Amino acid sequence: MSGLPDGLPDWWEPLLTRVGSARTEDFTALRAPASGGRASAVLVLLGEQRPGEPDLLVLQRAATMRNHAGQAAFPGGAADPTDADPAATALREANEEVGLDPASATVLATLPELYIPVSRFVVTPVLAWWHAPHPVHVRQPAEVAHVARLPVAELVDPANRIRVRHPSGWVGPAFQVRGMLVWGFTAGVVSALLDMAGWSRPWQPGRLMELPDTPVAVPAASDEVVS
C-alpha cells in the first residue's frame, strides 16, 4: 500500500489491505436505521511494547453508567458538533477518557458504520497505530473504571476465547484476558479484525458463559497503564 507512515510495523499487513474493502456485514448482521441513530466513534488503537508484539488499548466502563455498564470497550463516544470527522471524535474521546495524546496515534483507516441497538449508537470504528505509546490512566471515573493494553497473542490464545450468553438470549464471542471479560460489540469487532489480520488461531466454541444481570466486576489493579 502506498502512503503509509514511516516505521509502520510489518504486522499491520494484511489487516490494512483487508479493512480497505470491509463491509458492515463483515462485523454484524444488524443494519443501522435510516434515521434516528446517534453518530459516534470508537478508537481501535494497536501499538506494541516490544517489536512484533501488537496489543490493543481497551477500557472498562463504570458499573454506574446507564448504557454498557461494566463492559470492556474501546475508547470512544458520541460525536460533538465540533468534531471534524469520526477520527476526531474517537481521538477526542480517548483523550477525555484515558488521557491519550492524539498526536501519539496515527489514524490508518475507518471501518463501516455499525449499529448498537441498546444505545441506538451508529458507531464508526477508527483504526489507528499507537506510534508513540505513553502512560494512560482513568480520567473520567464516572464513565471509566479501568484501562488496559491487551496483547494480541493473549487475545488469540484458544484458552482465552469463549462464548457468552446474555440474559436476553443473545450469544456471541468473548475473550477472557488479564482479568477482563471482553464481549458484546467490542468482542465482535475484535474477533473480525483478528480474522482479517490472519492472527486468529483455531478454538473450540463449546465453552459458554452465562452473563449475570449485573455488570461484570473489574479486577483490583492500577488505573495507569504504562508504555
Side-chain angles (χ1 to χ4, degrees), residues 59-62 67-73 166 181 183-186 215-216:
L59 54 82
Q60 192 134 17
R61 295 291 177 196
N67 291 319
H68 312 298
Q71 289 190 30
H166 190 268
L181 176 64
W183 65 280
F185 170 84
T186 304
V216 177

Side-chain angles (χ1 to χ4, degrees), residues 178-197:
R178 301 199 173 190
M180 296 184 74
L181 176 64
V182 182
W183 65 280
F185 170 84
T186 304
V189 173
V190 170
S191 181
L193 291 177
L194 294 177
D195 289 345
M196 291 179 187

Side-chain angles (χ1 to χ4, degrees), residues 64-145:
T64 54
M65 290 192 67
R66 183 177 62 180
N67 291 319
H68 312 298
Q71 289 190 30
F74 303 115
D80 279 353
T82 55
D83 293 336
D85 52 27
T89 297
L91 290 170
R92 175 185 54 75
E93 286 282 341
N95 173 261
E96 294 174 359
E97 292 177 331
V98 302
L100 179 81
D101 177 3
S104 72
T106 300
V107 172
L108 298 174
T110 55
L111 306 183
E113 291 183 345
L114 308 175
Y115 182 53
I116 305 180
V118 66
S119 57
R120 296 191 58 79
F121 280 162
V122 178
V123 184
T124 300
V126 176
L127 188 62
W129 171 39
W130 203 2
H131 66 264
H134 61 84
V136 291
H137 60 281
V138 173
R139 291 190 65 188
Q140 294 183 335
E143 296 186 8
V144 180

Side-chain angles (χ1 to χ4, degrees), residues 146-205:
H146 181 62
V147 57
R149 294 178 70 171
L150 303 182
V152 166
E154 295 181 24
L155 289 168
V156 300
D157 186 338
N160 295 332
R161 301 199 66 170
I162 63 172
R163 292 183 304 148
V164 294
R165 179 161 51 206
H166 190 268
S168 67
W170 174 89
V171 175
F175 304 83
Q176 288 181 308
V177 179
R178 301 199 173 190
M180 296 184 74
L181 176 64
V182 182
W183 65 280
F185 170 84
T186 304
V189 173
V190 170
S191 181
L193 291 177
L194 294 177
D195 289 345
M196 291 179 187
W199 294 335
S200 293
R201 294 167 54 189
W203 63 287
Q204 294 297 324

